[in-house]
Amino acid sequence: MTLSRSLLQTTALAFTIAVGALGNMPTAHADDKITIMVGGYEKHIYLPAKLAEALGYFKDEGLDVELLNEPAGVDAENQLLAGAVQGVVGFYDHCVDLQAKGKFVESVVQFSQAPGEVELASTKHPEIKSAADFKGMNLGVTGLGSSTNFLTQYLASKAGLQPGDFTSVPVGAGATFIAAMQQDKIEAGMTTEPTISRLLKTNEARVMIDMRSVESTRSALGGTYPAASLYMETSWVDAHKETTQKLANAFVKTLKYINTHSAEDIADKMPKDFYVGDKDGYVKALADGKAMFTADGVMPEDGPKTVLAVLSTFSKNVKGKQIDLSKTYTSEFVKAAK
């Protein structure tokens, strides 16, 4: 009896020690599996998503993150609202637009303070000199309801045009955008790097309106325009604060990496097919546009007001609505990032 009791006590003690040891190990919780939809992860504007993955920062936080690619940000937004993904790497302006529709999503990490977009005009159409010349034109956008569509409508409205004066044509980005311009299906269009450099290199397009830097963006849009971000439904963020903090940690480290490393260092971390056969061009475009990224993920103070002013200019959905901008973003997690 004494031997049996002693053996039982020893076994119980060993079990207790093992459980204690396990308690000190990092554990993966169910909500540590995160699916993020990226509005075209080969685009320079959304580079932090793939870079964070390549640098291993998600894994460092104990997160299992799956990045899904969706060329148009509006489609990524729809996936979020349907509950198919937990987050979107897309433009902050969707947070403002969705609140006008009664949906509450918020930028958790603000990647950029400029759109990184350019309005290109086909060199077949030298008559297009400004947005006022958009009348009667087919203008390329990534998708209807996308941020490129928002910005196109604003630029046209600012030039005195009405919504029916031009046609927005959803052509995506990259090869599909280029083909649409080559085939004259669009006379002008809004796109980002590396598509911009590819069309300029072949002299098939020229820059009309440049929003790749903070300075040129202020000139075009009237102020700082926070664009690429990680945005999520507010209800999900409130229910998963620990996981949201881990995501913020990973992305803030990524933004710091971008701001402390050369364009070549960054390009070396990207999949080779992102270069589209021209690494030198990829590196140059990245070097020229790297300043659009924030250093810490914090929302620029004057940014949300500019976005609201831009959307209110043309959007029947936003115009006249009471928008609480404080609920369209949070700096809680990036300011606590480690």
Side-chain angles (χ1 to χ4, degrees):
M1 290 290 291
T2 303
L3 180 62
S4 298
R5 186 178 296 110
S6 176
L7 183 61
L8 185 62
Q9 288 172 341
T10 301
T11 303
L13 178 61
F15 178 76
T16 301
I17 292 170
V19 169
L22 286 170
N24 292 325
M25 292 173 64
T27 57
H29 302 289
D31 58 335
D32 284 346
K33 165 69 176 179
I34 303 295
T35 304
I36 298 175
M37 184 74 80
V38 186
Y41 53 46
E42 71 285 354
K43 299 175 184 177
H44 285 195
I45 54 174
Y46 298 143
L47 180 144
K50 268 293 183 182
L51 184 57
E53 181 182 70
L55 292 169
Y57 289 165
F58 295 135
K59 288 183 179 179
D60 289 349
E61 293 295 328
L63 294 171
D64 179 9
V65 173
E66 180 183 18
L67 300 177
L68 301 180
N69 202 24
E70 175 53 62
V74 64
D75 294 325
E77 166 197 299
N78 291 336
Q79 292 294 313
L80 178 72
L81 296 177
V85 299
Q86 287 74 53
V88 168
V89 170
F91 269 32
Y92 160 71
D93 53 19
H94 290 287
C95 302
V96 178
D97 180 63
L98 284 170
Q99 191 184 123
K101 300 173 184 174
K103 308 288 185 182
F104 287 86
V105 301
E106 59 189 15
S107 167
V108 175
V109 184
Q110 192 59 46
F111 293 169
S112 68
Q113 50 196 337
E117 303 276 357
V118 163
E119 184 69 28
L120 291 176
S122 169
T123 50
K124 296 174 186 174
H125 295 277
E127 72 275 15
I128 305 175
K129 296 180 174 62
S130 71
D133 299 318
F134 287 165
K135 192 167 185 176
M137 299 292 177
N138 292 316
L139 306 177
V141 297
T142 51
L144 300 180
S146 66
S147 297
T148 53
N149 196 17
F150 290 160
L151 291 172
T152 299
Q153 290 179 80
Y154 170 75
L155 293 172
S157 176
K158 184 183 174 186
L161 301 187
Q162 299 300 315
D165 288 341
F166 60 93
T167 302
S168 292
V169 183
V171 294
T176 53
F177 184 99
I178 292 170
M181 187 159 280
Q182 289 172 334
Q183 296 163 17
D184 216 22
K185 291 181 179 177
I186 57 172
E187 289 88 6
M190 189 170 294
T191 192
T192 184
E193 293 289 6
T195 308
I196 299 166
S197 292
R198 290 174 66 188
L199 281 165
L200 294 179
K201 185 177 181 180
T202 57
N203 198 35
E204 292 173 288
R206 55 192 167 78
V207 174
M208 279 184 56
I209 302 166
D210 196 336
M211 294 175 284
R212 286 176 289 184
S213 72
V214 175
E215 294 75 20
S216 61
T217 296
R218 286 180 180 143
S219 176
L221 303 179
T224 305
Y225 200 93
S229 67
L230 169 69
Y231 67 78
M232 313 177 87
E233 286 195 276
T234 301
S235 58
W236 194 94
V237 171
D238 290 343
H240 302 84
K241 292 208 168 199
E242 183 180 348
T243 300
T244 304
Q245 185 62 62
K246 291 176 182 179
L247 283 168
N249 293 346
F251 278 125
V252 169
K253 281 198 288 185
T254 304
L255 291 168
K256 287 179 179 177
Y257 185 96
I258 291 171
N259 276 270
T260 55
H261 288 74
S262 70
E264 189 153 4
D265 287 340
I266 296 165
D268 284 340
K269 301 293 182 183
M270 295 293 100
K272 288 182 173 54
D273 61 340
F274 281 19
Y275 310 153
V276 201
D278 183 11
K279 185 179 180 182
D280 289 344
Y282 184 94
V283 171
K284 183 183 184 306
L286 184 55
D288 290 344
K290 201 159 68 82
M292 70 179 162
F293 293 108
T294 67
D296 52 13
V298 175
M299 174 66 75
E301 189 175 347
D302 59 337
K305 289 181 181 178
T306 305
V307 173
L308 179 58
V310 165
L311 295 180
S312 297
T313 300
F314 67 87
S315 174
K316 292 179 181 177
N317 180 50
V318 176
K319 193 180 296 184
K321 293 282 183 69
Q322 287 295 318
I323 303 294
D324 185 347
L325 290 174
S326 69
K327 293 181 179 178
T328 61
Y329 69 95
T330 175
S331 295
E332 172 189 349
F333 301 98
V334 291
K335 287 187 175 178
K338 298 176 182 178

